[in-house]
Amino acid sequence: MSILSKANKEALVNPLNLNNPVVMQVLGICSALAVTAKLEPAIVMGLSVTIITAFSNLIISLIRKSIPNRIRIIVQLVVVAALVTIVSQVLKAFAYDVSVQLSVYVGLIITNCILMGRLEAFAMMNKPWPSFLDGIGNGIGYALILIIVGFVRELLGSGTLLNFQVIPQWCYDHGYVNNGMMTMPAMSLIIVGCVIWAHRAYNKELN
């Protein structure tokens, strides 16, 4: 089977739009509340979940035939916990400030519904390469939503992007005020709701 066969392309691309885990299945939205007040932690969280989802899918797929059915969830959790620990330590070593902003939410990736769902629904039943692509696709699909929410919240809430001033000073001099509500967790749900509405409106065949 070609590494870029139709089935493999669908495993990679579908989660980016038609089968996005956030807008279609409403999974993983807890992170949208917690880490999207700024764009940088949203990007880092998205990348972290993508890496963990891809490699946990790969590992579970490689060993799926040797995992006793009665302990498969425990094995999946052990694999995910090991990868989460590695990612957490790498962040603390090379991006400590972002690691502090993400706080305990990196550790909570272990319980991410998207990650556990892909292990159980895909990796346990498919070969390693398609499972790896499925993990990448779902991770990027999740990351895209976090980035959109983080972009809107930081721009309108703080007037910055990646901590660089975007809204010019003259706007403030003429009375522009940052929207403080954008820094509140509840706004992330409203933005996610708007993204879901726009996605359903664009993809009318899904309704």
Side-chain angles (χ1 to χ4, degrees):
M1 180 181 291
S2 170
I3 61 173
L4 292 177
S5 66
K6 182 180 179 180
N8 288 343
K9 287 180 181 178
E10 289 179 353
L12 177 63
V13 174
N14 279 358
L16 304 182
N17 182 24
L18 296 179
N19 197 30
N20 186 282
V22 180
V23 299
M24 289 305 298
Q25 302 163 37
V26 197
L27 298 176
I29 61 171
C30 297
S31 302
L33 284 168
V35 302
T36 56
K38 297 285 186 178
L39 183 57
E40 185 179 19
I43 293 173
V44 174
M45 186 67 167
L47 288 175
S48 299
V49 170
T50 300
I51 292 169
I52 293 169
T53 304
F55 282 97
S56 60
N57 264 19
L58 176 64
I59 294 169
I60 291 299
S61 180
L62 285 170
I63 65 175
R64 71 187 189 282
K65 293 182 180 179
S66 61
I67 301 175
N69 187 60
R70 65 184 182 277
I71 63 167
R72 69 186 190 283
I73 301 298
I74 297 174
V75 173
Q76 292 169 14
L77 286 172
V78 169
V79 170
V80 172
L83 291 171
V84 168
T85 300
I86 293 170
V87 168
S88 178
Q89 294 305 311
V90 169
L91 287 177
K92 288 178 180 178
F94 298 101
Y96 182 75
D97 290 342
V98 178
S99 176
V100 171
Q101 291 181 60
L102 292 175
S103 184
V104 300
Y105 297 104
V106 173
L108 290 177
I109 293 174
I110 295 172
T111 60
N112 190 297
C113 302
I114 298 170
L115 196 152
M116 296 305 297
R118 299 323 297 169
L119 291 178
E120 187 69 9
F122 199 93
M124 286 295 292
M125 296 182 289
N126 290 275
K127 294 181 179 180
W129 179 243
S131 297
F132 184 70
L133 293 178
D134 178 81
I136 291 177
N138 278 275
I140 294 176
Y142 163 86
L144 285 175
I145 305 303
L146 257 66
I147 289 170
I148 291 171
V149 176
F151 179 93
V152 174
R153 291 183 68 192
E154 181 174 358
L155 179 62
L156 299 182
S158 304
T160 62
L161 287 175
L162 298 175
N163 296 319
F164 291 101
Q165 190 68 38
V166 174
I167 297 177
Q169 184 59 42
W170 62 264
C171 290
Y172 296 100
D173 294 339
H174 286 78
Y176 178 82
V177 178
N178 291 329
N179 187 342
M181 288 186 65
M182 284 293 171
T183 63
M184 300 173 64
M187 285 305 300
S188 61
L189 285 181
I190 295 175
I191 297 170
V192 169
C194 291
V195 171
I196 293 174
W197 170 79
H199 181 266
R200 299 292 177 89
Y202 180 77
N203 298 285
K204 297 183 184 300
E205 69 276 12
L206 298 176
N207 297 326

